[in-house]
PDB file of all heavy atoms in Angstrom:
ATOM      1  N   PHE H  60     -28.440  65.619  -4.301  1.00  0.00           N
ATOM      2  CA  PHE H  60     -28.797  64.229  -4.181  1.00  0.00           C
ATOM      3  C   PHE H  60     -28.219  63.584  -2.969  1.00  0.00           C
ATOM      4  O   PHE H  60     -27.531  64.300  -2.170  1.00  0.00           O
ATOM      5  CB  PHE H  60     -28.313  63.531  -5.494  1.00  0.00           C
ATOM      6  CG  PHE H  60     -29.014  62.140  -5.651  1.00  0.00           C
ATOM      7  CD1 PHE H  60     -30.403  62.071  -5.819  1.00  0.00           C
ATOM      8  CD2 PHE H  60     -28.231  60.993  -5.579  1.00  0.00           C
ATOM      9  CE1 PHE H  60     -30.979  60.853  -5.966  1.00  0.00           C
ATOM     10  CE2 PHE H  60     -28.918  59.810  -5.746  1.00  0.00           C
ATOM     11  CZ  PHE H  60     -30.232  59.700  -5.865  1.00  0.00           C
ATOM     12  N   LYS H  61     -28.620  62.326  -2.776  1.00  0.00           N
ATOM     13  CA  LYS H  61     -28.154  61.640  -1.498  1.00  0.00           C
ATOM     14  C   LYS H  61     -26.688  61.522  -1.424  1.00  0.00           C
ATOM     15  O   LYS H  61     -26.106  61.627  -0.379  1.00  0.00           O
ATOM     16  CB  LYS H  61     -28.710  60.209  -1.509  1.00  0.00           C
ATOM     17  CG  LYS H  61     -30.284  60.152  -1.323  1.00  0.00           C
ATOM     18  CD  LYS H  61     -30.638  58.687  -1.638  1.00  0.00           C
ATOM     19  CE  LYS H  61     -32.023  58.452  -1.074  1.00  0.00           C
ATOM     20  NZ  LYS H  61     -32.554  57.011  -1.407  1.00  0.00           N
ATOM     21  N   ASN H  65     -23.868  58.692  -8.243  1.00  0.00           N
ATOM     22  CA  ASN H  65     -25.043  57.891  -8.451  1.00  0.00           C
ATOM     23  C   ASN H  65     -25.720  58.329  -9.737  1.00  0.00           C
ATOM     24  O   ASN H  65     -26.147  59.521  -9.816  1.00  0.00           O
ATOM     25  CB  ASN H  65     -26.021  58.051  -7.277  1.00  0.00           C
ATOM     26  CG  ASN H  65     -27.230  57.110  -7.374  1.00  0.00           C
ATOM     27  OD1 ASN H  65     -27.711  56.812  -8.545  1.00  0.00           O
ATOM     28  ND2 ASN H  65     -27.748  56.610  -6.260  1.00  0.00           N
ATOM     29  N   PHE H  67     -28.512  57.821 -11.021  1.00  0.00           N
ATOM     30  CA  PHE H  67     -29.894  58.276 -10.812  1.00  0.00           C
ATOM     31  C   PHE H  67     -29.911  59.763 -10.440  1.00  0.00           C
ATOM     32  O   PHE H  67     -30.721  60.545 -11.061  1.00  0.00           O
ATOM     33  CB  PHE H  67     -30.496  57.465  -9.685  1.00  0.00           C
ATOM     34  CG  PHE H  67     -32.005  57.661  -9.449  1.00  0.00           C
ATOM     35  CD1 PHE H  67     -32.923  56.847  -9.983  1.00  0.00           C
ATOM     36  CD2 PHE H  67     -32.409  58.739  -8.712  1.00  0.00           C
ATOM     37  CE1 PHE H  67     -34.335  57.016  -9.765  1.00  0.00           C
ATOM     38  CE2 PHE H  67     -33.824  58.938  -8.475  1.00  0.00           C
ATOM     39  CZ  PHE H  67     -34.724  58.151  -9.003  1.00  0.00           C
ATOM     40  N   SER H 117     -32.795  65.338  -2.262  1.00  0.00           N
ATOM     41  CA  SER H 117     -33.204  63.982  -2.127  1.00  0.00           C
ATOM     42  C   SER H 117     -32.621  63.437  -0.811  1.00  0.00           C
ATOM     43  O   SER H 117     -31.375  63.248  -0.811  1.00  0.00           O
ATOM     44  CB  SER H 117     -32.756  63.139  -3.321  1.00  0.00           C
ATOM     45  OG  SER H 117     -32.947  61.758  -3.117  1.00  0.00           O
ATOM     46  N   ASP H 142     -37.837  62.946  -4.832  1.00  0.00           N
ATOM     47  CA  ASP H 142     -37.477  61.522  -4.752  1.00  0.00           C
ATOM     48  C   ASP H 142     -37.543  61.103  -3.356  1.00  0.00           C
ATOM     49  O   ASP H 142     -38.426  60.290  -3.017  1.00  0.00           O
ATOM     50  CB  ASP H 142     -35.988  61.359  -5.299  1.00  0.00           C
ATOM     51  CG  ASP H 142     -35.378  59.999  -5.092  1.00  0.00           C
ATOM     52  OD1 ASP H 142     -36.153  59.051  -5.415  1.00  0.00           O
ATOM     53  OD2 ASP H 142     -34.204  59.980  -4.665  1.00  0.00           O
ATOM     54  N   VAL H 216     -37.519  57.416   1.262  1.00  0.00           N
ATOM     55  CA  VAL H 216     -38.276  56.839   0.206  1.00  0.00           C
ATOM     56  C   VAL H 216     -38.199  55.333   0.177  1.00  0.00           C
ATOM     57  O   VAL H 216     -39.216  54.645   0.001  1.00  0.00           O
ATOM     58  CB  VAL H 216     -37.935  57.515  -1.180  1.00  0.00           C
ATOM     59  CG1 VAL H 216     -36.605  57.082  -1.710  1.00  0.00           C
ATOM     60  CG2 VAL H 216     -39.048  57.255  -2.135  1.00  0.00           C
ATOM     61  N   GLN H 217     -37.002  54.714   0.363  1.00  0.00           N
ATOM     62  CA  GLN H 217     -36.904  53.254   0.328  1.00  0.00           C
ATOM     63  C   GLN H 217     -37.820  52.685   1.503  1.00  0.00           C
ATOM     64  O   GLN H 217     -38.507  51.697   1.307  1.00  0.00           O
ATOM     65  CB  GLN H 217     -35.521  52.828   0.536  1.00  0.00           C
ATOM     66  CG  GLN H 217     -34.770  52.679  -0.774  1.00  0.00           C
ATOM     67  CD  GLN H 217     -34.232  53.959  -1.401  1.00  0.00           C
ATOM     68  OE1 GLN H 217     -34.154  54.935  -0.637  1.00  0.00           O
ATOM     69  NE2 GLN H 217     -33.880  53.918  -2.620  1.00  0.00           N
ATOM     70  N   TRP H 220     -41.389  52.669   0.498  1.00  0.00           N
ATOM     71  CA  TRP H 220     -41.689  51.613  -0.500  1.00  0.00           C
ATOM     72  C   TRP H 220     -41.698  50.290   0.168  1.00  0.00           C
ATOM     73  O   TRP H 220     -42.542  49.383  -0.108  1.00  0.00           O
ATOM     74  CB  TRP H 220     -40.568  51.521  -1.641  1.00  0.00           C
ATOM     75  CG  TRP H 220     -40.739  52.663  -2.629  1.00  0.00           C
ATOM     76  CD1 TRP H 220     -41.895  53.237  -3.091  1.00  0.00           C
ATOM     77  CD2 TRP H 220     -39.660  53.362  -3.246  1.00  0.00           C
ATOM     78  NE1 TRP H 220     -41.587  54.237  -4.017  1.00  0.00           N
ATOM     79  CE2 TRP H 220     -40.235  54.294  -4.191  1.00  0.00           C
ATOM     80  CE3 TRP H 220     -38.228  53.297  -3.229  1.00  0.00           C
ATOM     81  CZ2 TRP H 220     -39.445  55.184  -4.909  1.00  0.00           C
ATOM     82  CZ3 TRP H 220     -37.476  54.105  -4.014  1.00  0.00           C
ATOM     83  CH2 TRP H 220     -38.089  55.048  -4.826  1.00  0.00           C
ATOM     84  N   ASP H 258     -26.690  52.377  -0.382  1.00  0.00           N
ATOM     85  CA  ASP H 258     -26.432  53.056  -1.682  1.00  0.00           C
ATOM     86  C   ASP H 258     -24.979  53.218  -1.935  1.00  0.00           C
ATOM     87  O   ASP H 258     -24.577  54.202  -2.666  1.00  0.00           O
ATOM     88  CB  ASP H 258     -27.243  54.353  -1.798  1.00  0.00           C
ATOM     89  CG  ASP H 258     -28.618  54.137  -2.464  1.00  0.00           C
ATOM     90  OD1 ASP H 258     -28.913  52.963  -2.884  1.00  0.00           O
ATOM     91  OD2 ASP H 258     -29.335  55.125  -2.708  1.00  0.00           O
ATOM     92  N   PRO H 282     -35.117  48.140  -4.062  1.00  0.00           N
ATOM     93  CA  PRO H 282     -35.782  49.374  -4.445  1.00  0.00           C
ATOM     94  C   PRO H 282     -34.768  50.565  -4.524  1.00  0.00           C
ATOM     95  O   PRO H 282     -35.020  51.657  -3.982  1.00  0.00           O
ATOM     96  CB  PRO H 282     -36.697  49.536  -3.195  1.00  0.00           C
ATOM     97  CG  PRO H 282     -36.025  48.878  -2.101  1.00  0.00           C
ATOM     98  CD  PRO H 282     -35.097  47.843  -2.692  1.00  0.00           C
ATOM     99  N   THR H 283     -33.611  50.271  -5.048  1.00  0.00           N
ATOM    100  CA  THR H 283     -32.585  51.343  -5.308  1.00  0.00           C
ATOM    101  C   THR H 283     -31.774  50.894  -6.466  1.00  0.00           C
ATOM    102  O   THR H 283     -31.473  49.740  -6.526  1.00  0.00           O
ATOM    103  CB  THR H 283     -31.667  51.478  -4.004  1.00  0.00           C
ATOM    104  OG1 THR H 283     -30.374  51.815  -4.467  1.00  0.00           O
ATOM    105  CG2 THR H 283     -31.553  50.234  -3.220  1.00  0.00           C
ATOM    106  N   THR H 284     -31.389  51.801  -7.270  1.00  0.00           N
ATOM    107  CA  THR H 284     -30.648  51.523  -8.485  1.00  0.00           C
ATOM    108  C   THR H 284     -29.286  50.977  -8.104  1.00  0.00           C
ATOM    109  O   THR H 284     -28.722  50.177  -8.857  1.00  0.00           O
ATOM    110  CB  THR H 284     -30.570  52.786  -9.397  1.00  0.00           C
ATOM    111  OG1 THR H 284     -29.940  53.808  -8.710  1.00  0.00           O
ATOM    112  CG2 THR H 284     -31.916  53.173  -9.882  1.00  0.00           C
ATOM    113  N   LEU H 307     -36.037  48.484  -8.730  1.00  0.00           N
ATOM    114  CA  LEU H 307     -36.000  49.774  -9.376  1.00  0.00           C
ATOM    115  C   LEU H 307     -34.577  49.964  -9.993  1.00  0.00           C
ATOM    116  O   LEU H 307     -33.663  50.238  -9.239  1.00  0.00           O
ATOM    117  CB  LEU H 307     -36.362  50.910  -8.469  1.00  0.00           C
ATOM    118  CG  LEU H 307     -37.686  50.699  -7.687  1.00  0.00           C
ATOM    119  CD1 LEU H 307     -37.857  51.891  -6.657  1.00  0.00           C
ATOM    120  CD2 LEU H 307     -38.877  50.769  -8.683  1.00  0.00           C
ATOM    121  N   LEU H 334     -39.088  51.400 -13.172  1.00  0.00           N
ATOM    122  CA  LEU H 334     -38.566  52.732 -12.814  1.00  0.00           C
ATOM    123  C   LEU H 334     -39.551  53.731 -13.451  1.00  0.00           C
ATOM    124  O   LEU H 334     -40.702  53.411 -13.644  1.00  0.00           O
ATOM    125  CB  LEU H 334     -37.098  52.932 -13.225  1.00  0.00           C
ATOM    126  CG  LEU H 334     -36.326  53.985 -12.445  1.00  0.00           C
ATOM    127  CD1 LEU H 334     -36.153  53.571 -10.967  1.00  0.00           C
ATOM    128  CD2 LEU H 334     -34.986  54.306 -13.015  1.00  0.00           C
ATOM    129  N   TRP H 335     -39.028  54.858 -13.704  1.00  0.00           N
ATOM    130  CA  TRP H 335     -39.825  55.996 -14.342  1.00  0.00           C
ATOM    131  C   TRP H 335     -38.805  56.788 -15.014  1.00  0.00           C
ATOM    132  O   TRP H 335     -37.660  56.530 -14.951  1.00  0.00           O
ATOM    133  CB  TRP H 335     -40.569  56.773 -13.254  1.00  0.00           C
ATOM    134  CG  TRP H 335     -39.724  56.933 -12.057  1.00  0.00           C
ATOM    135  CD1 TRP H 335     -38.748  57.913 -11.814  1.00  0.00           C
ATOM    136  CD2 TRP H 335     -39.664  56.139 -10.866  1.00  0.00           C
ATOM    137  NE1 TRP H 335     -38.098  57.778 -10.640  1.00  0.00           N
ATOM    138  CE2 TRP H 335     -38.665  56.699 -10.009  1.00  0.00           C
ATOM    139  CE3 TRP H 335     -40.372  55.038 -10.435  1.00  0.00           C
ATOM    140  CZ2 TRP H 335     -38.347  56.107  -8.770  1.00  0.00           C
ATOM    141  CZ3 TRP H 335     -40.054  54.497  -9.196  1.00  0.00           C
ATOM    142  CH2 TRP H 335     -39.080  55.041  -8.396  1.00  0.00           C
TER     143      TRP H 335
HETATM  144  C1  RAM F 501     -31.211  55.155  -5.900  1.00  0.00           C
HETATM  145  C2  RAM F 501     -31.509  56.149  -4.876  1.00  0.00           C
HETATM  146  C3  RAM F 501     -32.801  56.944  -5.172  1.00  0.00           C
HETATM  147  C4  RAM F 501     -33.904  55.977  -5.571  1.00  0.00           C
HETATM  148  C5  RAM F 501     -33.506  55.173  -6.671  1.00  0.00           C
HETATM  149  C6  RAM F 501     -34.619  54.267  -7.163  1.00  0.00           C
HETATM  150  O1  RAM F 501     -30.553  55.677  -6.924  1.00  0.00           O
HETATM  151  O2  RAM F 501     -31.605  55.484  -3.646  1.00  0.00           O
HETATM  152  O3  RAM F 501     -33.147  57.680  -4.007  1.00  0.00           O
HETATM  153  O4  RAM F 501     -35.068  56.681  -5.841  1.00  0.00           O
HETATM  154  O5  RAM F 501     -32.374  54.393  -6.319  1.00  0.00           O
END
Side-chain angles (χ1 to χ4, degrees):
F60 195 60
K61 290 169 163 180
N65 185 327
F67 186 98
S117 167
D142 174 48
V216 73
Q217 270 83 17
W220 286 324
D258 264 0
T283 148
T284 58
L307 303 176
L334 203 66
W335 39 84

